[in-house]
Amino acid sequence: MDKLLIEGGVRLSGEVAVSGAKNAALPLLCAALLTREAVTFTNVPQLNDIGTLLKILAGMGVKVDRDAAAGTVTLDASTLGEPVAPYELVKTMRASILVLGPLVARCGEARVSLPGGCAIGARPVDQHIKGLQAMGAEVRVEHGYVHAQVPRLKGARLFTDMVTVTGTENLMMAACLADGETVIENAAREPEVVDLANCLVAMGARITGAGTDVIRIRGVERLSGTTHRIMPDRIETGTYLCAAAASGGEIRLTNTSSCYLDAVIDKLMDAGCEIVAERDTIRLKAPARLTAVSVRTSPYPAFPTDMQAQFMAINCVAEGTAVIRETIFENRFMHAVELQRLGADIRIDGNTAVVQGVAGLQGATVMATDLRASASLVIAGLVAEGETVIERIYHLDRGYERLEDKLAALGARVRRLA
């Protein structure tokens, strides 16, 4: 199993391009199941999760044409076969549940294994099931699979008990081919939801309200093919900004946008960073030492849970004390123990972490526990004295394209160990 070796103490500087967003690409690829015509996606990141989903789609009979070097994927679901997503592939990635809605809408049936993924807390699919049932589907959960059947979905008023991004995306895709109008209330407002809606509209869907908490979808008989460019990854953007901030560096990120990152950029500026955002670039210049900043995670447009671990890492070496409150997932402080191995001063009380900044961290061997926890350990390793070895970096490969190459381009001393 691969490991990452980081020799800390380098001030990051230079320019790097941000990849396409994993959390946008996954639902977009699933949307190709809704049409018999070919759909082409550009700016597709090279990630393990993307490869896993393409295997799931190919297993259903979807023709997959991927040019990884060019970042393009063309999907042709005209010969869609058995609508089944097996456990062997689904177990590694929770987002695979996103095939459920399109399959039920297109085929009238779907059998999808209950998903796995990062162990950051309970992420139930009950909101997906509840929504499909309200649209007339008969849904059973048996032998570890969600089995849904319906002659044709019917438009309905759907209210999710919690804000759920994948739930909103799944139900929005399903409603595109339903009979009548579907209204999703308490909908997720994330930019990835808007990106999906924009693609679906280009395919012929009738959707209004994406980006607000009420989305309306008027079902159509069929959707057509299109070409769609995937939005830049706002979490990758935020991660590199945090890495540069922690190292006292100065970097320029291209192929990205600050408009998705207001909460993150505000906190980095509070920490003492100078940030200049242009049309598709962001420049950051860090102070000699950061000022500690407290954060509280909440659904978009508030501070994202996917940036909580990275901010814990930068607070470890900042001046002062920060309080971090995690309100989305109940088990997302597992990286704190690993950061403590590097010398961090962190106290955990339920969903709250108190981080007292220290003068410096020391390199050690640590273990990644989930995708964003991995990123926090990378940031800590970049500023720690000596060598840091990060084990189980397959988590990183799920969400960060060519991480070690991009960091090396910014001057970091980092290499992968087989």
Side-chain angles (χ1 to χ4, degrees):
M1 192 175 295
D2 286 2
K3 304 176 183 180
L4 209 60
L5 173 64
I6 301 174
E7 185 179 345
V10 175
R11 178 178 175 271
L12 298 187
S13 65
E15 178 178 300
V16 71
V18 173
S19 301
K22 174 183 83 85
N23 289 340
L26 295 173
L28 284 165
L29 294 173
C30 294
L33 292 167
L34 291 165
T35 177
R36 295 179 179 275
E37 299 181 16
V39 183
T40 297
F41 300 99
T42 62
N43 202 33
V44 182
Q46 296 184 50
L47 302 170
N48 286 354
D49 276 10
I50 299 297
T52 298
L53 182 57
L54 292 178
K55 289 179 183 178
I56 293 172
L57 296 176
M60 298 175 187
V62 177
K63 297 176 183 176
V64 178
D65 183 5
R66 183 183 190 186
D67 186 341
T72 63
V73 172
T74 297
L75 301 176
D76 180 351
S78 59
T79 57
L80 190 62
E82 191 174 12
V84 176
Y87 171 75
E88 290 72 21
L89 292 174
V90 170
K91 66 180 180 181
T92 65
M93 185 180 65
R94 180 182 181 272
S96 51
I97 194 66
L98 286 164
V99 302
L100 179 63
L103 286 175
V104 175
R106 165 91 180 273
C107 305
E109 182 178 10
R111 190 166 177 266
V112 180
S113 173
L114 289 170
C118 291
I120 60 174
R123 295 191 280 180
V125 298
D126 59 317
Q127 300 303 305
H128 307 239
I129 294 172
K130 174 185 170 184
L132 290 175
Q133 288 174 328
M135 297 171 73
E138 177 188 345
V139 185
R140 303 187 308 277
V141 180
E142 52 189 11
H143 306 296
Y145 280 78
V146 179
H147 189 190
Q149 292 178 296
V150 66
R152 185 182 181 187
L153 293 170
K154 304 290 185 182
R157 176 181 175 272
L158 310 178
F159 184 87
T160 58
D161 296 336
M162 65 188 74
V163 177
T164 162
V165 177
T166 54
T168 298
E169 293 166 339
N170 228 343
L171 298 174
M172 183 168 65
M173 288 189 284
C176 287
L177 297 180
D179 182 17
E181 184 181 67
T182 298
V183 180
I184 305 175
E185 300 188 34
N186 199 30
R189 301 163 59 187
E190 271 71 3
E192 294 81 7
V193 174
V194 178
D195 201 29
L196 173 61
N198 290 340
C199 179
L200 292 169
V201 168
M203 294 168 66
R206 298 170 63 186
I207 302 172
T208 58
T212 75
D213 59 0
V214 179
I215 302 176
R216 298 179 181 273
I217 308 101
R218 172 69 65 175
V220 297
E221 289 294 326
R222 58 183 293 274
L223 294 178
S224 59
T226 191
T227 297
H228 181 82
R229 180 175 176 81
I230 294 168
M231 64 174 282
D233 195 317
R234 61 192 175 102
I235 305 302
E236 183 188 21
T237 300
T239 299
Y240 284 115
L241 291 176
C242 284
S247 73
E250 183 174 359
I251 66 169
R252 181 174 183 265
L253 300 179
T254 63
N255 188 39
T256 188
S257 174
S258 65
C259 65
Y260 312 124
L261 281 167
D262 287 344
V264 170
I265 288 176
D266 284 349
K267 289 295 182 181
L268 286 170
M269 293 177 71
D270 289 345
C273 296
E274 297 177 19
I275 298 178
V276 177
E278 299 171 351
R279 182 182 177 186
D280 60 355
T281 65
I282 302 175
R283 289 188 286 119
L284 176 143
K285 182 178 181 181
R289 189 178 185 190
L290 298 170
T291 300
V293 288
S294 296
V295 299
R296 181 182 186 275
T297 65
S298 290
Y300 188 86
F303 190 89
T305 181
D306 279 355
M307 286 300 303
Q308 175 258 108
Q310 297 90 316
F311 267 74
M312 183 179 288
I314 69 173
N315 278 316
C316 288
V317 292
E319 181 74 37
T321 303
V323 177
I324 299 175
R325 291 186 173 88
E326 173 59 58
T327 72
I328 307 298
F329 295 118
E330 73 279 7
N331 195 26
R332 206 167 199 181
F333 282 152
M334 292 186 290
H335 47 279
V337 176
E338 301 303 311
L339 290 170
Q340 288 169 341
R341 287 180 51 78
L342 299 173
D345 183 351
I346 305 171
R347 301 188 306 279
I348 304 294
D349 183 9
N351 71 336
T352 301
V354 179
V355 185
Q356 175 66 54
V358 297
L361 300 176
Q362 301 82 44
T365 298
V366 292
M367 180 180 69
T369 53
D370 64 69
L371 172 54
R372 305 310 172 186
S374 307
S376 75
L377 299 179
V378 170
I379 293 170
L382 289 170
V383 300
E385 179 185 356
E387 292 186 345
T388 297
V389 176
I390 304 174
E391 298 184 340
R392 294 175 61 178
I393 62 167
Y394 60 85
H395 289 293
L396 279 172
D397 294 333
R398 291 183 53 233
Y400 291 95
E401 181 179 40
R402 299 185 299 105
L403 177 78
E404 62 268 34
D405 295 336
K406 291 186 178 183
L407 287 174
L410 297 174
R413 296 186 292 247
V414 54
R415 60 190 176 96
R416 184 178 291 251
L417 306 177

